[in-house]
């Protein structure tokens, strides 16, 4: 298969990754405005923020296993269609109070198409090109994280939440059509019978736990950086433009580094354990810079280190999982790994916030840095598995 043909089959999957990242962050970044306008409490805001990730944590393993049973393409298509329906239903209802139900529906839909897309990236890319494939997938998700808050704010300013949800419905529908036209069917593969003990043993093996812990760590660092770097910048007198630029720098660095990291892995220049450990160490350094270096220089340096570290480690974690997992169990593995990412997404800001409340924000950053270094030490023992030629 030519490189161009392989790339054409992967691009709709990258677009699916963009949809879930853009959808989640475009709405989440604007929910504060929504709750203020509706005179809702901070508890309501917290629930609206949590419902999307909460339903993903519960349902991603379920839909990942379903993708192995019926094939990942139907699950991907069904999830994208359900995302479009949930978004359109909010527009049709015309009731701002329905945003919680819409978020729940979007989260359930993303829980279906996210692990299915990851499984298809692994199955449709050459065995010698897993790093490059997941580097592209991660880069497009990072672009979604970057553009979500910005474009979401523009759409809400122009037409309220209805315009934002309507745009998401059209976007998910367009990607579903693209998948239908460009992504070939990947039939379910024959599977040996698996007991609960077999599943627990496989998911408890270091070849799963270490890369999943790496993915959780990078997601925790990304979420904490996006959430708390503006806080530390504002505390030193920086305005919203400067702090917003720092968050954008973080996401841009991650998006630029991920394809390079994946290509370097495929070429044998970057090994899984060393690369994941280095990426986590860089994110830890970024947290330390945020804790110790004041002003715009410290904020931008922290954002750059975190973004580069996340971009370096993330595709290696996914590619390692794809390489060591039996292909008939890819959906189940990707679903379980995505749960690790969701826990990191929630746990990173929670850890930093708890330590900041008990002591200082700098202490919160350092606490997460220590946890990232522990994860880096564990990941460093991983070896790049052999990749047979296609």
């Amino acid at each position: 298969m030519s490189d161009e043909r392989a790339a054409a089959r992967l691009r709709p999957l990258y677009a699916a990754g963009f949809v879930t990242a853009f959808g989640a962050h475009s709405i989440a970044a604007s929910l504060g405005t929504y709750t203020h306008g509706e005179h809702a409490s901070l508890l309501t805001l917290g629930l609206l923020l949590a419902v999307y990730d909460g339903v993903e944590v519960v349902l991603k393993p379920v839909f990942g296993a379903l993708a192995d049973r019926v094939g990942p393409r139907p699950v991907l298509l069904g999830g994208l269609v359900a995302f479009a329906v949930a978004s359109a239903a909010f527009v049709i209802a015309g009731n701002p109070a329905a945003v919680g139900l819409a978020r729940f529906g979007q989260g359930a839909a993303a829980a279906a198409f996210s692990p299915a897309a990851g499984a298809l990236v692994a199955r449709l890319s050459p065995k010698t090109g897993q790093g490059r494939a997941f580097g592209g997938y991660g880069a497009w998700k990072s672009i979604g994280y970057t553009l979500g808050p910005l474009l979401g704010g523009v759409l809400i300013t122009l037409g309220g939440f209805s315009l934002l949800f309507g745009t998401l419905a059209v976007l998910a529908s367009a990607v579903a059509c693209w998948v239908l036209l460009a992504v070939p069917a990947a039939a379910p593969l024959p599977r040996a019978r698996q007991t609960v003990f077999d599943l627990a043993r496989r998911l408890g093996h270091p070849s799963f736990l270490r890369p999943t812990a790496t993915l959780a760590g990078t997601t925790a660092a990304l979420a904490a950086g996006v959430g708390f770097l503006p806080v530390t910048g504002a505390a030193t007198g920086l305005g919203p433009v400067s702090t917003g630029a720092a968050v954008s720098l973080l996401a841009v660095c991650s998006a630029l580094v991920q394809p390079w990291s994946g290509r370097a892995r495929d070429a044998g220049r970057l090994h899984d354990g060393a690369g994941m450990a280095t990426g986590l160490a860089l994110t830890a350094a970024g947290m330390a810079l945020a804790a110790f270096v004041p002003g715009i220089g410290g904020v931008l340096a922290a954002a750059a280190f975190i973004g580069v570290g996340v971009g370096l480690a993330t595709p290696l974690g996914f590619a390692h999982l794809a390489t060591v997992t039996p292909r008939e169990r890819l959906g189940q593995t990707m679903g379980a790994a995505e749960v690790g990412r969701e826990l990191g997404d929630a746990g990173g800001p929670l850890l930093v916030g708890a330590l900041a409340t008990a002591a200082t924000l700098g202490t919160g950053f350092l606490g997460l840095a220590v946890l990232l270094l522990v994860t880096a030490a564990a990941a460093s023992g991983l070896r790049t598995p052999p990749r047979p030629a296609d």
Side-chain angles (χ1 to χ4, degrees):
M1 183 190 304
S2 68
D3 290 344
E4 180 55 36
R5 184 181 175 190
R9 295 162 61 169
L10 292 175
R11 289 185 190 116
L13 306 178
Y14 296 170
F18 175 85
V19 169
T20 184
F22 178 79
H25 280 231
S26 62
I27 298 171
S30 303
L31 283 174
T33 303
Y34 164 80
T35 53
H36 178 76
E38 296 294 314
H39 305 290
S41 66
L42 291 177
L43 175 60
T44 300
L45 174 59
L47 290 172
L48 291 174
L49 288 169
V51 65
Y52 190 101
D53 292 329
V55 71
E56 282 194 300
V57 168
V58 174
L59 292 181
K60 275 185 173 179
V62 176
F63 283 117
L66 180 64
D68 290 332
R69 183 177 295 275
V70 304
R73 187 170 177 264
V75 178
L76 173 62
L77 284 169
L80 286 167
V81 170
F83 192 95
V85 169
S87 303
F90 176 85
V91 179
I92 295 170
N95 181 6
V99 68
L101 289 174
R103 287 274 290 174
F104 181 90
Q106 288 178 331
F113 72 76
S114 188
L120 278 168
V121 169
R123 286 190 59 177
L124 298 180
S125 59
K127 295 176 183 177
T128 54
Q130 300 275 284
R132 181 178 181 180
F134 279 105
Y137 183 66
W140 276 98
K141 291 191 79 167
S142 293
I143 293 171
Y145 293 140
T146 305
L147 294 181
L150 175 62
L151 293 184
V154 171
L155 291 170
I156 289 172
T157 300
L158 294 176
F161 271 83
S162 292
L163 180 58
L164 173 57
F165 276 87
T167 300
L168 291 172
V170 172
L171 178 62
S173 299
V175 174
C177 292
W178 193 6
V179 169
L180 191 63
L181 294 173
V183 177
L189 299 172
R191 298 176 302 155
R193 184 176 180 273
Q194 177 180 252
T195 66
V196 174
F197 176 76
D198 293 331
L199 175 61
R201 183 173 57 184
R202 186 162 61 84
L203 298 186
H205 195 275
S207 63
F208 173 82
L209 289 178
R210 291 177 182 178
T212 300
T214 297
L215 293 173
T218 56
T219 307
L222 177 65
V226 170
F228 287 100
L229 283 180
V231 176
T232 191
T236 58
L238 300 178
V241 174
S242 298
T243 55
V247 172
S248 296
L249 176 64
L250 190 161
V252 168
C253 286
S254 176
L256 291 176
V257 170
Q258 289 199 51
W260 174 88
S261 175
R263 288 193 298 268
R265 178 191 191 266
D266 293 340
R269 299 193 305 270
L270 187 61
H271 298 289
D272 289 354
M276 283 187 264
T278 302
L280 289 166
L282 287 171
T283 60
M287 293 295 163
L289 286 168
F292 291 122
V293 181
I296 185 64
V299 172
L300 291 177
F305 269 78
I306 294 169
V308 170
V310 169
L312 180 62
T314 298
L316 301 181
F318 275 121
H320 187 92
L321 288 170
T323 305
V324 302
T325 300
R327 294 179 82 78
E328 68 273 14
R329 302 287 183 187
L330 278 169
Q332 187 180 69
T333 296
M334 291 301 173
E338 287 281 357
V339 170
R341 297 191 79 199
E342 295 297 337
L343 293 176
D345 195 21
L350 182 61
L351 173 64
V352 173
L355 291 175
T357 301
T360 64
L361 182 54
T363 303
F365 284 130
L366 291 177
L368 182 54
V370 170
L371 187 60
L372 291 169
L373 290 175
V374 171
T375 308
S380 64
L382 280 175
R383 295 182 178 181
T384 303
R387 298 184 294 278
D390 292 291

